[in-house]
């Protein structure tokens, strides 16, 4: 198929012979299923198909059953995943998208699958670029969707990102393959549908889908240069007691875009957020050097910028002694059954022992881990409280810096 990613790039030199395919039943994902089936027969690759039923539409169960039947006809094992833990807060579409990738990643890891295919097309890419443009996105947003990315420890690839939707429909018709039409694709209440309509109207003026894709290519070249500048600044970072430290002078000497990129990546990495913070509050925080954003507190004192977790954002994070807490610490010591690790919080506002590390600000101690027993704090190693207890920082500097560069 012209424009589709070949198998060698999908596998990226990996020896795994099993590939997962996310299939909704729509034309794009059904074309991906048939394309990968044709490849698998030639290359002796095992495939597994999966459908995520978010439970948001009555037709979803029938669509999943359709995909199961089509997969069985092709000799491809299929599984339907259900989204059952929605908390009904926040943006529904964003929650559903996050849940989809989490469910797909968990399924793939359980099945021993190294890479999952997603059926996004060149039309999806063009629409994404236009949506990002309306949001005032910078260079990163105008790069569009990446060909591949990692999420929840799983590698995802979009093999059809260079193929127009019309070409996929023609491919399916040639094969005599049916697909499901999602009525929401015509619902003007959705921004993407309105953008699709606008793109059709703008094509006579020269703003074609291909023109947008060409722009995205140039933006990716520019983004590569900007990322190199951020990489150099990231190497100046130091870690201390779970916090990120950086010289204020070095930070201020960097170009504004570099400062914004680094700060966004640090905030996302520390907080575990999937996406970067919005630009306006990020820019204001970078300029001020003090404030709270994305569950992190930024302070500038004595020529040093410190980025720490915010205690309030950690109240619901717990672990057992010996387990990793907040991806940063492991607390070990004379534990008893029922002991739990959770944030120190307001307990740090009391008088602290003189033996503690005086270089750790009280706000950082408030966000540090402590041992709680029957509702009472009995140990807080970073604050020098609790004989026999220690807090092991499992967050290595090299790994943390690498996490910044992959965001």
């Amino acid at each position: 198929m012209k424009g589709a990613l070949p198998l060698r790039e999908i596998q990226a030199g990996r020896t795994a012979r099993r590939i997962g395919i996310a299939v909704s039943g729509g034309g794009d994902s059904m074309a991906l299923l048939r394309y990968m089936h044709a490849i698998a027969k030639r290359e002796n690759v095992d495939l597994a198909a999966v459908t995520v039923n978010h439970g948001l539409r009555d037709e979803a169960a029938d669509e999943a059953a359709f995909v199961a039947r089509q997969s069985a006809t092709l000799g491809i094992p299929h599984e339907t995943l259900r989204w059952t833990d929605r908390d009904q807060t926040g943006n529904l579409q964003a929650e559903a998208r996050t849940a989809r990738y989490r469910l797909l990643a968990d399924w793939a890891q359980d099945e021993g699958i190294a890479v999952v295919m997603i059926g996004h097309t060149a039309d999806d890419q063009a629409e994404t670029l236009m949506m990002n443009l309306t949001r005032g996105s910078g260079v990163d947003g105008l790069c569009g969707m990446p060909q591949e990315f990692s999420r929840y420890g799983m590698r995802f690839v979009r093999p059809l990102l260079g193929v127009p939707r019309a070409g996929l429909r023609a491919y399916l018709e040639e094969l005599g393959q049916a697909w499901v039409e999602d009525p929401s694709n015509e619902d003007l209440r959705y921004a993407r549908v309105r953008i699709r309509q606008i793109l059709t109207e703008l094509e006579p003026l020269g703003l074609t889908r291909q023109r947008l894709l060409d722009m995205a290519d140039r933006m990716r070249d520019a983004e590569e240069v900007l990322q190199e500048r951020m990489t150099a600044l990231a190497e100046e970072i130091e870690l201390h007691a779970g916090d990120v430290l950086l010289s204020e002078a070095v930070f201020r000497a960097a170009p504004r875009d570099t400062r914004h990129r680094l700060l966004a990546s640090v905030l996302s990495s520390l907080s575990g957020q999937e996406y970067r913070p919005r630009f306006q509050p990020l820019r204001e925080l970078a300029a001020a050097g003090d404030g709270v954003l994305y569950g992190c507190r930024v302070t500038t004192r004595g020529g040093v910028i410190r980025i720490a977790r915010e205690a309030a954002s950690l109240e619901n994070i717990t672990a057992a002694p010996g387990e990793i807490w907040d991806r940063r610490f492991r607390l070990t010591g004379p534990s008893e059954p029922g002991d739990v690790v959770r944030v120190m919080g307001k307990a740090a506002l009391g008088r602290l022992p003189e033996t503690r590390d005086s270089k750790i600000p009280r706000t950082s101690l408030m966000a540090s881990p402590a041992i709680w027993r029957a509702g009472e704090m009995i140990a807080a190693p970073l604050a020098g409280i609790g004989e026999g207890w220690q807090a092991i920082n499992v967050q290595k500097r090299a790994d943390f810096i690498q996490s910044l560069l992959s965001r």
Side-chain angles (χ1 to χ4, degrees), residues 43-65:
E43 304 290 342
N44 190 31
V45 172
D46 291 333
L47 301 177
V50 61
T51 303
V52 176
N53 180 357
H54 292 95
L56 301 177
R57 296 185 299 114
D58 293 337
E59 306 89 348
D62 291 337
E63 292 165 1

Side-chain angles (χ1 to χ4, degrees), residues 4-21:
L5 207 62
L7 179 64
R8 65 179 180 276
E9 294 188 38
I10 292 173
Q11 291 180 312
R14 298 165 189 247
T15 57
R17 306 296 296 177
R18 197 159 193 235
I19 294 174
I21 312 170

Side-chain angles (χ1 to χ4, degrees), residues 68-352:
R69 292 193 299 271
Q70 298 300 308
S71 299
T73 299
L74 298 172
I76 300 173
H78 172 271
E79 187 172 346
T80 298
L81 309 177
R82 291 295 303 265
W83 182 28
T84 59
D85 58 352
R86 181 189 167 203
D87 61 10
Q88 298 188 351
T89 62
N91 182 282
L92 176 59
Q93 285 184 305
E95 284 184 25
R97 183 170 55 249
T98 298
R100 179 175 185 242
Y101 284 117
R102 175 174 51 80
L103 288 168
L104 289 173
D106 290 346
W107 166 80
Q109 288 163 355
D110 290 343
E111 294 292 323
I113 290 169
V115 58
V116 177
M117 307 289 96
I118 304 292
H120 291 133
T121 69
D123 293 71
D124 292 317
Q125 182 72 294
E127 292 159 11
T128 297
L129 288 168
M130 282 294 289
M131 292 180 72
N132 288 344
L133 190 61
T134 64
R135 295 171 181 143
S137 295
V139 172
D140 289 0
L142 299 182
C143 289
M145 296 181 288
Q147 189 95 63
E148 67 172 84
F149 59 98
S150 294
R151 197 161 296 169
Y152 300 110
M154 180 54 53
R155 179 172 171 256
F156 292 88
V157 177
R158 300 178 170 109
L160 306 181
L161 205 54
V163 184
R165 189 172 291 132
L168 297 178
R169 298 302 189 273
Y171 174 69
L172 290 174
E173 290 171 355
E174 182 180 335
L175 295 173
Q177 173 65 59
W179 67 88
V180 175
E181 289 291 358
D182 184 348
S184 67
N185 288 330
E186 304 297 327
D187 191 339
L188 290 175
R189 288 177 299 176
Y190 294 101
R192 185 173 288 275
V193 177
R194 297 195 298 273
I195 289 291
R196 189 175 302 152
Q197 188 177 69
I198 291 171
L199 276 172
T200 301
E201 296 172 357
L202 290 174
E203 283 194 355
L205 300 178
L207 189 58
T208 63
R209 286 164 172 79
Q210 188 56 53
R211 186 66 57 82
L212 287 169
L213 297 181
D214 292 342
M215 179 192 71
D217 282 339
R218 293 195 295 274
M219 289 294 110
R220 277 190 287 274
D221 291 340
E223 196 249 0
E224 184 176 342
V225 176
L226 295 173
Q227 281 293 102
E228 288 178 358
R229 296 296 297 268
M230 191 201 81
T231 299
L233 183 58
E235 290 295 339
E236 301 293 328
I237 280 176
E238 297 295 338
L239 299 183
H240 177 248
D243 296 348
V244 175
L245 307 184
L246 181 64
S247 162
E248 181 185 14
V250 171
F251 182 75
R252 297 298 174 196
R256 187 167 58 177
D257 179 87
T258 307
R259 300 198 300 268
H260 293 159
R261 282 175 181 274
L262 181 66
L263 181 57
S265 293
V266 169
L267 293 174
S268 299
S269 188
L270 268 185
S271 64
Q273 296 279 356
E274 186 177 344
Y275 300 103
R276 293 181 177 184
R278 293 189 178 277
F279 181 67
Q280 184 61 32
L282 176 73
R283 179 171 60 181
E284 293 173 357
L285 181 59
D290 283 274
V292 176
L293 183 64
Y294 248 37
C296 298
R297 177 175 293 276
V298 178
T299 56
T300 304
R301 303 287 186 275
V304 175
I305 297 174
R306 179 182 288 265
I307 307 173
R309 292 287 265 137
E310 174 70 4
S313 68
L314 298 169
E315 290 178 351
N316 296 324
I317 298 179
T318 61
E323 295 180 345
I324 295 177
W325 179 83
D326 193 38
R327 296 167 288 108
R328 296 178 298 153
F329 293 103
R330 178 185 288 114
L331 267 59
T332 61
S335 63
E336 295 183 3
D339 287 354
V340 63
V341 182
R342 69 171 188 258
V343 69
M344 189 178 183
K346 293 182 179 179
L349 296 177
R351 186 175 182 276
L352 298 174

